[in-house]
């Protein structure tokens, strides 16, 4: 529903989505291998959930698994918390248990604070560093 998606996007980006965020999100959607996803992974940009939440990119992998990807260009920590929520919402949307291994969460940021990475590790979130829409530099 286009109206529900507009409402969700307005809630997610109250001041509008910044050009840097949009550029990095578009680049990752077009290059899933930069974050370790297999060839043939299908991006669903601004994937909308029945809750009204919207994940930056939900990739459907060739084997039917899913990956929730949140993009952050300034402050990664809130995105790490959002990944936990989106991973659970994707699992529920598919009718899978919340602890399924069929859905993973990924946080993509231009840079990370030292405190961000232990949080990601603790909650099973892959963290990828991409500078200026460039190549993913690895995970935690």
């Amino acid at each position: 529903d286009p109206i529900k998606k507009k409402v969700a996007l307005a809630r997610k980006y109250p001041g509008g989505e910044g050009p840097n965020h949009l550029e990095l999100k578009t680049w990752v959607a077009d290059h899933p291998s930069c974050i370790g996803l297999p060839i043939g992974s299908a991006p669903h940009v601004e994937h909308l959930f029945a809750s009204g939440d919207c994940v930056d990119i939900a990739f459907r992998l060739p084997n039917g698994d899913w990956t929730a990807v949140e993009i952050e260009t300034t402050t990664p920590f809130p995105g790490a918390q959002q990944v936990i929520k989106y991973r659970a919402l994707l699992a529920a949307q598919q009718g899978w248990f919340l602890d399924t291994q069929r859905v993973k969460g990924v946080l993509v940021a231009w840079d990370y604070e030292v405190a961000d990475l232990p949080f990601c590790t603790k909650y099973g979130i892959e963290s990828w560093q991409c500078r200026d829409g460039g190549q993913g530099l690895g995970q935690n």
Side-chain angles (χ1 to χ4, degrees), residues 4-19:
K4 286 182 183 177
K5 194 163 191 173
K6 274 187 176 181
V7 170
L9 290 173
R11 190 173 81 193
K12 186 171 182 175
Y13 307 114
E17 182 177 23

Side-chain angles (χ1 to χ4, degrees), residues 47-135:
H47 181 75
L48 182 63
F49 297 101
S51 63
D53 292 291
C54 205
V55 63
D56 284 328
I57 312 166
F59 282 99
R60 187 166 201 276
L61 308 185
N63 69 355
D65 290 355
W66 287 83
T67 298
V69 178
E70 187 63 13
I71 305 292
E72 295 296 337
T73 55
T74 55
T75 309
F77 188 72
Q81 292 186 330
Q82 290 174 314
V83 168
I84 294 169
K85 174 174 62 173
Y86 298 143
R87 186 174 56 198
L89 287 170
L90 271 174
Q93 189 174 57
Q94 298 305 310
W96 299 331
F97 291 107
L98 297 183
D99 63 351
T100 183
Q101 298 301 303
R102 297 200 62 192
V103 179
K104 70 179 186 176
V106 174
L107 178 63
V108 176
W110 280 350
D111 211 350
Y112 287 90
E113 298 292 324
V114 173
D116 298 332
L117 298 177
F119 182 88
C120 290
T121 300
K122 181 176 182 177
Y123 292 102
I125 300 165
E126 290 185 18
S127 54
W128 289 83
Q129 183 180 31
C130 295
R131 296 182 188 276
D132 300 323
Q135 179 179 348

Side-chain angles (χ1 to χ4, degrees), residues 18-32:
N20 292 335
H21 185 273
L22 177 61
E23 180 183 354
L24 184 55
K25 178 177 68 179
T26 302
W27 192 84
V28 170
D30 291 341
H31 302 90

